[in-house]
Amino acid sequence: MTAPDTPGMPDTHDDTDFDPVWYLHAHPDVARAGMDPRRHYDTIGRSEGRLGAPVLALELDHMLWRGYAEAVLGPLTRLLATGRPRERAAAGWALARWHRDQGDPAAARTAIAAFHATPDPALPLRHAGPWLLDLQLALEAGDGAAAATRLADIETRFGATAEAGLAALLAARAAGDTDAMASALGRLHPPAGLAALTLAPGDAPAFDRVVPRNPPPPAPPEGELPLVSVIVPVLNGAAHLDRALSGLTAQDWPALEILVVDDGSSDESRDIAAAHARRDPRVRPMTQGRTTGAYPARNAGLAAARGAFVTVHDADDWSHPAKIRAQVQALLDDPGRMASVSHWVRAGDDLDMTLWRIETGWVYRNVSSLMIRTELRDILGFWDRVRVNADTEYYYRIHAAFGPGAIVEVHPGVPLAFGRSRAGALTARGETDLRTHLHGLRNDYLNAARAWHARTLRPAGLHLPEHPPERPFRVPKAVALTPPDPEPEMADRDRIAASDMFDPAWYRLAHRDVLAADLDPAQHYLEHGARENRDPGPAFSTGGYRHAQGLGPDENPLLHWERTGRAAGADPLPGRSGALADRKGPRVLVFAHQVGRALFGAERSLLDMLDRFLAAGEVPVAVVPAMRNPDYLDALAARSAAIETVPQLWRFGDRAPAPATCATIARLIARHAVRKVHVNTLVLDAPLAAARAAGCESVVHVRELPENDPGLCRGLALTPDLLRTRLLNDADRFVANSGLVARWIGAAERTEIRPNAVSPALFDMPFAPGTPLRVALVSSNTVKKGVAEFVEVARRVAEAEGDVRFLLIGPPTPDLRALQPFPHNVDFADYAETPEAAIAQADVVMSLSRFSESFGRTVLEAMAAGRPVICWDRGAPPELVESGVTGFVVPADDCGTAANAVLALAAARTGLARMSDAARARAARLQARATGV
């Protein structure tokens, strides 16, 4: 796991930059091939640009453009300043694009410098983007020397690519060297077998002087070629229409009809189209008479099209003379393809490259170049009647109907069109800006469209007539035409998306898998989230509502709420009455941070805390984030006056506590008249903010050790020092579960040390080691718990022919699947419901966590049951285990020494009984400290 905040220079075998289990997860082709992940990464993966371990800065970069800038800009800035080289480089790339897009080129240049200061082996990215951006920033700053250095780097690293040619073009443009600009243009296309471009002389903007270097070769007679219909919608495009049409009439595919659909222009657009028609009969002017919108105008052209193929061309763009031929030929060569697209570059009038957001370079797929077989007009119909993004919807409609392979990309990486960037265009205007493709208006529209694709009988059900009686799916009002087309009845997905109980930004942050995969939150909740009892927002508990209403596992609680529950006055955050509702005594709100389907340390520690409050004469009110695991909820109810449900986000980066959550907690404080708020973990911040606002005492029971748990810090996007500072500011008092944790908190006067308690029943378990000796790892079976190391110890013991069976006790996980096949002496024993059931299967227990455990509950449970323990010399477990007396403490991550310890115990059976007695006695002393008995 990559530590985001530890400075140091990794070499090519730095394990912090390689995680074998993550690598197999991220690259399933390697797992399927059965290759050793480290060997694959060193010999193949690195050169292919694959990452060897997760990089926090890249995850934050993903979030930056999806509406979470407030939360992640701070962590990215900190990684830029103090992160490991790989993290610092990735943060520099992320922040450079962001700052440039926000109009701060100086900050952008400072950031990208961190990327280029990183040695090659540690670079997290292998594409040309960071070099292209640095060159552009240097040119904008007037730093010609730096730009020349970067241009040389680009040409050396990436060769004769089109983007290298564009980089040379920018450098020549900055130098005012027209000849060099022309030469650079001439480099873009010949490597792909296409005619070279050049820059014509004159005073016109450079964009309008891009022309073929030589006339196109003679084409076959028009009658021998299938006709291509090119639709050119135009609205007040007189400034650039002539240029667009000149490029089209110069195409080396002569069999064209160019349908110029005027959408109610008030300038000379119609006159320009008519003039071209007089010179070239292939140009056919059409007029809408009034402004209807870009996509209704396209639809008019599609209805009139007579060609075997149909494509679209914007009225202010210019295309390479081979563009139409390349896209047609790809469809003629493969009759199974339904459409083709080409790539383009977006540029200003001066040929400056203009797009830097999530892209990795300047040349990318041009969805608006989509060329379809005309029979798709009968199968899928027309473009959706909206203001923006209908070309992308049609692209994905073809995917839905015929599969992703139905669309072929021609000459990827080579710009067959130059798209003109204009201020005021829909792609650069407020709520319809291209940024909203990732979150906001365009994203909302595409999510709704793809949900329609998913639920519709394909392909017949995906047909859209030119003038449908109603829309096929609901869209945001700002996307709809004026006047809007009639909307259909709400589909289930639309009802969820429209609910005030559904918060898509909250849902994606709460469920990071949805965010990472860019899934539609509403569709995910409909198809998966509700069934998994995920909460749709801070004000609705899926599991709690399901339980209160008696809904089945396949019923959707939020849909039930919207259809019947709201009107009936049902509580969207229902709780449960506890067995101690009538008990007298001061109330304390006790917050849990997770309720899993299986009981691990977090769940058991909460039960311990409730028992402690009761012993002290206080009456707890348990607050859980979700209503899962009925047996656990029953155990909570037996120890509480009530169980309340408050869906919560964990701390993350610089995100402030959710106001809606704080308001809910404030109501609970008032309802139960509590004077103290106890938070059973450091990952929650909203309860502390609400307590502070209400004047309640707040206590955090710290059970984590962030400075030695990079996975936790990565998940919270916080450094250990910053997390500690925030805790000290947020809470009044602390309870630490070990001296190690108390020392990390660093506030002795505000901190009480209380070890974790374990089930008393463990002390009565018999100890009768058999043959072979059974050695167990009892855990959540994740990589951070040391499952890979446990398997490695087993392999070494097998090689030494030790008579030992190794048991993995815990749930099946992707991490375990990635480690298979196991050595012959390893068995998967599955999850055990209780500590007693787990430890009864073992003679010896191992604790091999990759991070520093703050206490080691499983270690103490094993010792209470008289099981010797083998643990790493890391974290708090060495405070529990007396090496050579109750087990062995071995050097951290030393699988060879751990294997020798197992072999020693297997060989010296007579010593096991003494170790068992010593372990039980040691556990009894610790238990007395924990319970105060």
Side-chain angles (χ1 to χ4, degrees):
M1 192 71 68
T2 302
D5 308 294
T6 306
M9 186 67 66
D11 59 29
T12 57
H13 288 277
D14 188 341
D15 285 340
T16 59
D17 286 329
F18 186 78
D19 184 327
V21 176
W22 180 90
Y23 191 79
L24 292 176
H25 286 175
H27 310 298
D29 58 321
V30 182
R32 286 193 299 269
M35 296 186 67
D36 174 75
R38 173 91 253 184
R39 184 180 184 86
H40 182 276
Y41 178 63
D42 286 340
T43 59
I44 301 173
R46 189 195 304 273
S47 63
E48 292 178 339
R50 303 194 194 210
L51 293 173
V55 178
L56 174 61
L58 295 182
E59 297 174 20
L60 299 177
D61 181 37
H62 182 84
M63 299 175 67
L64 182 60
W65 299 95
R66 287 160 176 82
Y68 301 100
E70 180 182 359
V72 305
L73 279 173
L76 279 170
T77 302
R78 292 188 285 273
L79 286 173
L80 183 68
T82 62
R84 293 183 57 81
R86 181 162 293 188
E87 293 286 358
R88 192 161 59 245
W93 163 243
L95 288 170
R97 287 183 301 164
W98 177 263
H99 288 315
R100 187 178 190 276
D101 185 69
Q102 299 295 306
D104 190 349
R109 197 170 182 210
T110 299
I112 201 64
F115 181 94
H116 293 291
T118 304
D120 262 15
L123 287 177
L125 303 169
R126 299 290 166 174
H127 58 70
W131 286 265
L132 298 172
L133 178 56
D134 193 28
L135 175 136
Q136 193 168 21
L137 289 167
L139 291 173
E140 290 170 354
D143 190 344
T149 299
R150 195 59 66 219
L151 178 59
D153 288 345
I154 293 168
E155 293 172 340
T156 300
R157 285 176 174 270
F158 304 104
T161 64
E163 285 183 328
L166 291 170
L169 172 67
L170 288 193
R173 168 186 159 275
D177 189 337
T178 304
D179 291 339
M181 289 179 67
S183 176
L185 277 171
R187 295 169 48 185
L188 304 183
H189 299 90
L194 302 172
L197 302 179
T198 190
L199 199 64
D203 297 327
F207 189 104
D208 296 321
R209 292 188 284 122
V210 177
V211 295
R213 181 177 293 170
N214 300 304
E222 184 174 337
E224 298 179 12
L225 300 175
L227 183 67
V228 177
S229 299
V230 184
I231 303 167
V232 184
V234 59
L235 173 62
N236 294 330
H240 306 297
L241 179 60
D242 180 75
R243 170 71 170 157
L245 294 179
S246 296
L248 286 172
T249 55
Q251 290 289 304
D252 62 14
W253 186 272
L256 300 176
E257 64 165 358
I258 303 169
L259 304 169
V260 185
V261 185
D262 185 81
D263 195 35
S265 296
S266 58
D267 64 2
E268 295 78 29
S269 294
R270 284 192 296 275
D271 296 336
I272 293 170
H276 274 271
R278 288 192 293 270
R279 294 194 298 269
D280 190 330
R282 297 178 301 170
V283 178
R284 290 176 53 198
M286 299 174 57
T287 182
Q288 294 287 80
R290 62 182 180 84
T291 301
T292 59
Y295 293 106
R298 291 186 186 201
N299 285 342
L302 180 57
R306 299 176 301 201
F309 303 96
V310 180
T311 189
V312 176
H313 196 285
D314 285 346
D316 54 356
D317 298 341
W318 182 84
S319 288
H320 186 282
K323 175 178 178 290
I324 299 295
R325 173 172 55 84
Q327 291 194 232
V328 172
Q329 196 63 54
L331 297 177
L332 294 176
D333 291 344
D334 189 346
R337 307 277 195 170
M338 302 304 297
S340 65
V341 291
S342 53
H343 284 212
W344 70 343
V345 62
R346 295 185 68 84
D349 283 342
D350 56 358
L351 288 183
D352 190 17
M353 304 299 108
T354 56
L355 195 57
W356 273 118
R357 283 184 279 275
I358 65 163
E359 295 74 22
T360 59
W362 294 321
V363 182
Y364 60 100
R365 183 177 63 216
N366 178 12
V367 175
S368 66
S369 73
L370 185 71
M371 177 182 287
I372 64 171
R373 298 183 187 274
T374 305
E375 56 259 37
L376 280 186
R377 180 173 55 190
D378 299 324
I379 300 171
L380 297 182
F382 292 75
W383 282 279
D384 190 17
R385 289 168 49 83
V386 288
R387 296 178 62 217
V388 295
N389 258 34
D391 46 3
T392 306
E393 183 279 320
Y394 205 105
Y395 178 92
Y396 286 117
R397 203 188 319 169
I398 296 173
H399 276 210
F402 301 102
I407 303 177
V408 59
E409 296 195 16
V410 301
H411 296 301
V414 179
L416 294 188
F418 286 72
R420 193 188 304 263
S421 295
R422 294 183 294 114
L426 284 174
T427 54
R429 184 188 304 163
E431 60 187 355
T432 56
D433 188 285
L434 279 174
R435 293 181 192 84
T436 66
H437 184 75
L438 298 174
H439 81 97
L441 201 65
R442 290 173 181 258
N443 184 255
D444 293 343
Y445 167 73
L446 282 177
N447 282 338
R450 298 185 77 168
W452 170 57
H453 299 164
R455 66 176 178 261
T456 304
L457 181 65
R458 298 184 292 271
L462 292 174
H463 182 271
L464 270 184
E466 182 181 5
H467 299 287
E470 66 177 19
R471 286 202 42 74
F473 55 93
R474 291 179 171 245
V475 296
K477 290 182 179 178
V479 170
L481 298 177
T482 304
D485 291 340
E487 289 197 322
E489 291 186 10
M490 269 195 172
D492 286 346
R493 182 263 172 203
D494 301 327
R495 194 175 299 276
I496 289 170
S499 173
D500 59 356
M501 293 294 173
F502 187 77
D503 184 333
W506 188 97
Y507 188 84
R508 293 197 298 176
L509 195 55
H511 311 300
R512 257 12 122 62
D513 55 333
V514 178
L515 176 61
D518 274 332
L519 302 177
D520 171 17
Q523 188 74 12
H524 182 273
Y525 182 80
L526 175 66
E527 294 181 352
H528 307 287
R531 190 177 300 109
E532 296 165 356
N533 280 333
R534 302 194 192 204
D535 296 318
F540 188 91
S541 169
T542 299
Y545 188 87
R546 186 190 304 282
H547 176 81
Q549 298 296 321
L551 304 182
D554 293 327
E555 293 182 88
N556 190 297
L558 185 54
L559 288 177
H560 184 278
W561 156 264
E562 289 296 342
R563 289 168 178 153
T564 62
R566 184 191 294 269
D571 189 347
L573 289 174
R576 287 180 56 180
S577 179
L580 309 180
D582 296 328
R583 178 173 291 193
K584 303 298 183 183
R587 262 46 174 177
V588 53
L589 284 183
V590 185
F591 284 83
H593 69 294
Q594 65 186 42
V595 178
R597 295 178 178 85
L599 300 189
F600 295 117
E603 291 84 2
R604 292 172 182 153
S605 68
L606 186 64
L607 296 176
D608 292 344
M609 287 308 307
L610 300 185
D611 288 336
R612 290 179 186 174
F613 283 122
L614 292 172
E618 296 176 293
V619 185
V621 174
V623 186
V624 295
M627 286 282 190
R628 302 189 186 102
N629 196 326
D631 292 341
Y632 179 58
L633 294 174
D634 288 344
L636 292 177
R639 296 166 167 84
S640 306
I643 302 176
E644 300 284 3
T645 311
V646 181
Q648 291 200 57
L649 297 173
W650 287 14
R651 295 177 182 271
F652 186 79
D654 291 353
R655 178 193 60 80
T661 305
C662 293
T664 297
I665 296 171
R667 289 192 292 271
L668 294 182
I669 290 172
R671 180 188 307 165
H672 295 284
V674 302
R675 300 296 298 167
K676 182 166 67 176
V677 170
H678 182 98
V679 186
N680 210 42
T681 172
L682 58 71
V683 302
L684 299 182
D685 53 3
L688 303 177
R692 181 66 53 86
C696 291
E697 180 186 28
S698 60
V699 181
V700 178
H701 198 136
V702 182
R703 306 174 182 276
E704 303 88 353
L705 199 58
E707 66 180 355
N708 294 113
D709 191 347
L712 174 67
C713 293
R714 177 170 160 265
L716 302 179
L718 291 169
T719 67
D721 287 345
L722 185 56
L723 179 54
R724 175 173 50 227
T725 297
R726 292 186 181 176
L727 277 173
L728 292 172
N729 290 336
D730 292 348
D732 297 318
R733 292 194 300 108
F734 303 94
V735 177
N737 63 351
S738 69
L740 194 63
V741 171
R743 289 191 292 276
W744 176 78
I745 295 171
E749 70 285 358
R750 297 160 58 188
T751 305
E752 173 191 3
I753 300 175
R754 278 268 184 173
N756 290 339
V758 298
S759 169
L762 290 164
F763 290 92
D764 298 325
M765 289 182 61
F767 178 66
T771 302
L773 191 72
R774 300 169 302 166
V775 177
L777 182 74
V778 184
S779 76
S780 56
N781 282 340
T782 58
V783 63
K784 64 184 277 185
K785 288 294 187 178
V787 289
E789 289 77 4
F790 184 75
V791 170
E792 175 61 16
V793 170
R795 185 186 65 78
R796 296 189 183 209
V797 170
E799 290 176 350
E801 300 183 357
D803 191 12
V804 181
R805 299 300 302 176
F806 287 80
L807 306 179
L808 285 157
I809 302 175
T813 63
D815 292 349
L816 286 188
R817 288 194 291 274
L819 289 170
Q820 293 175 341
F822 297 140
H824 67 83
N825 59 344
V826 175
D827 297 316
F828 172 63
D830 214 335
Y831 171 71
E833 291 290 340
T834 65
E836 295 87 344
I839 292 173
Q841 303 175 60
D843 302 319
V844 176
V845 171
M846 300 193 81
S847 174
L848 305 177
S849 293
R850 289 189 174 187
F851 64 100
S852 291
E853 297 270 10
S854 66
F855 180 73
R857 174 185 289 273
T858 301
V859 171
L860 186 57
E861 289 172 338
M863 292 168 58
R867 270 61 175 174
V869 173
I870 299 172
C871 70
W872 295 141
D873 189 8
R874 176 159 57 209
E879 295 181 3
L880 308 178
V881 178
E882 296 177 82
S883 193
V885 179
T886 67
F888 290 107
V889 178
V890 299
D893 305 318
D894 187 343
C895 293
T897 302
N900 289 337
V902 172
L903 291 168
L905 291 177
R909 290 304 188 93
T910 56
L912 284 176
R914 290 194 301 273
M915 275 195 170
S916 174
D917 292 341
R920 213 184 292 266
R922 171 77 171 148
R925 293 193 295 272
L926 293 167
Q927 180 83 338
R929 288 177 55 195
T931 59
V933 178

